[in-house]
Amino acid sequence: MLFRSFLVHKSIFHSLQAHSRRTVHHPISIFPSFFSCSTLPSSSQSTQHPPHTHYKLNHKDWLSPNEVLKIFEDIKDPDSVISIWNQYSKRKDYKPNEAIFTVVINQLACAKNFDAIEEIMERIKFEKSCRLSNDFFYNVIKIYGHLAGLIKKSIETLLDMPKGYNCWPNVKTFNLVLNMLVSAKLFYVVHEIYVKAPMLGVEIDACCLNILIKGLCENGDLQFAFNVLDEFPKQRCRPNVRTFSTLMHYFCAKGEVNKAFGLLERMENEGIEADTITFNILISGLRKQGRIEDGMELLQKMKLKGCEPNAGSYQEVLYGLLDAGKFLEAKEFMAMMICEANSPSFASYKKLIHGLCNDKLIREVELVLKQMVKQGFVPKMGMWREILRSLFSRTAASNICISEIVNG
């Protein structure tokens, strides 16, 4: 084998040398598939180690699947994938597996050559050369939907899996398509795909029903979304914290905070513990209604239930205090946040300083400013102007009062 390889390289070398004497300007044009200008080894490199491995496809030596996989993994220019694939498909040892198909499709996706991916998928369907897993189709559907924006192709691939490719989709792949449809706001298609679950052999799970709820909520059908809760026991599923949090979010966005709290009570009755996200949604809903005290009480209740607040929990309460013009309370609340290792946002500092300046509380402004710098925020020019304006207006007012007393 080693001797034969040596003879092949020796033959190529002599042919190349002979051709260079005849054609000075294009010494390597007789081997366009073997060499390219961008892949020629430097003088310091050995010609026994070419920069690409697809030269092996020119040899008649039998290639193992791992060797073929390495060839496609080493391709630097994704645009050349199809020509190399065509070269491989003409070989007698052509026998692709799932790993090879996956690498080829991912390379084509990098090149945004989605038409070629369709051709490969049609070829897979026709050849039936290997059995493919759900993970393979999950990847292809994700490429079609997220990268190519071809939602219709994603749906077609999902529906074609059992008959066309002899692979039954699992619930993960099914839910991927449902999620795509909701993200694309194709709500009228969501239900059409959902009812095809039995035909595809998919067993509905809680995640699937949660996607339905999200789609209905985004479409403004809150009552229908609420009714999906009754679908869980029918599908032998149990709603989870995400189910309720999604409904709460949209109820709060619509100003129906009391209904959201009704869901919290239902959660507790069903033994489902609310998490930080759930409480943050409710605190935000209370803030939008100006119910600051209720928001602060809920924050304390959250701690008592063993649910640790995060920066977002505190920030919602802080914004509520600032919105209500309770700047001194907001200042104290900020100090508490920092003690509990939650840094207030730059926007909240800006809003607090603006309020304190309007109330001419210059001493408080100075303390907040120092605290802000300690937290790593740099005051901007507009903030300095506002502070100076407030300071000078206060000084001017003091001078007027003194003048009135003296001349009194």
Side-chain angles (χ1 to χ4, degrees), residues 149-258:
L150 300 170
I151 308 291
K152 188 178 178 182
K153 284 301 301 179
S154 295
I155 296 170
E156 287 173 0
T157 304
L158 173 74
L159 300 179
D160 206 19
M161 281 175 65
K163 290 184 178 178
Y165 300 98
N166 195 28
C167 178
W168 294 88
N170 59 18
V171 71
K172 179 185 173 185
T173 307
F174 184 75
N175 288 345
L176 173 66
V177 174
L178 288 184
N179 248 326
M180 284 179 184
L181 293 170
V182 171
S183 298
K185 300 190 183 300
L186 297 171
F187 306 118
Y188 63 95
V189 188
V190 174
H191 187 260
E192 290 179 22
I193 300 302
Y194 172 74
V195 296
K196 292 184 187 296
M199 182 188 77
L200 294 169
V202 173
E203 189 172 340
I204 297 299
D205 65 356
C207 178
C208 180
L209 294 172
N210 286 347
I211 295 167
L212 276 187
I213 287 173
K214 184 182 177 184
L216 288 166
C217 286
E218 289 200 3
N219 200 35
D221 300 322
L222 284 182
Q223 189 55 50
F224 285 110
F226 184 80
N227 292 341
V228 174
L229 285 174
D230 298 328
E231 189 71 15
F232 279 83
K234 294 176 185 176
Q235 297 293 343
R236 292 175 295 175
C237 298
R238 188 167 181 259
N240 53 33
V241 65
R242 185 173 179 180
T243 311
F244 288 99
S245 294
T246 302
L247 285 166
M248 287 177 187
H249 170 76
Y250 287 97
F251 276 126
C252 286
K254 205 174 177 182
E256 299 182 24
V257 179
N258 290 335

Side-chain angles (χ1 to χ4, degrees), residues 11 94 106 125 137 194 230 242 310 325 327:
S11 173
Y94 171 74
N106 287 344
K125 190 192 298 186
F137 289 100
Y194 172 74
D230 298 328
R242 185 173 179 180
N310 60 15
F327 301 113

Side-chain angles (χ1 to χ4, degrees), residues 24 26 57-58 61 78 88 175 208-209 220 234 242-243 277 297 308 311 314 331 334 350 353 355 358 376 382-383 391:
V24 176
H26 301 283
L57 294 173
N58 295 323
D61 296 340
Y88 168 55
N175 288 345
C208 180
L209 294 172
K234 294 176 185 176
R242 185 173 179 180
T243 311
I277 294 171
E297 284 179 19
E308 193 62 33
Y314 289 104
K331 174 181 166 290
M334 272 187 170
K350 184 179 177 181
I353 288 173
N358 283 346
M383 191 179 287
L391 180 63

Side-chain angles (χ1 to χ4, degrees), residues 26 91 119 166-167 210 215 233 238 258 264 272-273 307 315 324 337 371 375:
H26 301 283
R91 289 176 57 91
E119 290 174 15
N166 195 28
C167 178
N210 286 347
R238 188 167 181 259
N258 290 335
L264 178 65
I272 302 168
E273 290 187 10
C307 184
Q315 198 65 60
M337 282 181 68
Q371 185 189 93
Q375 292 300 307

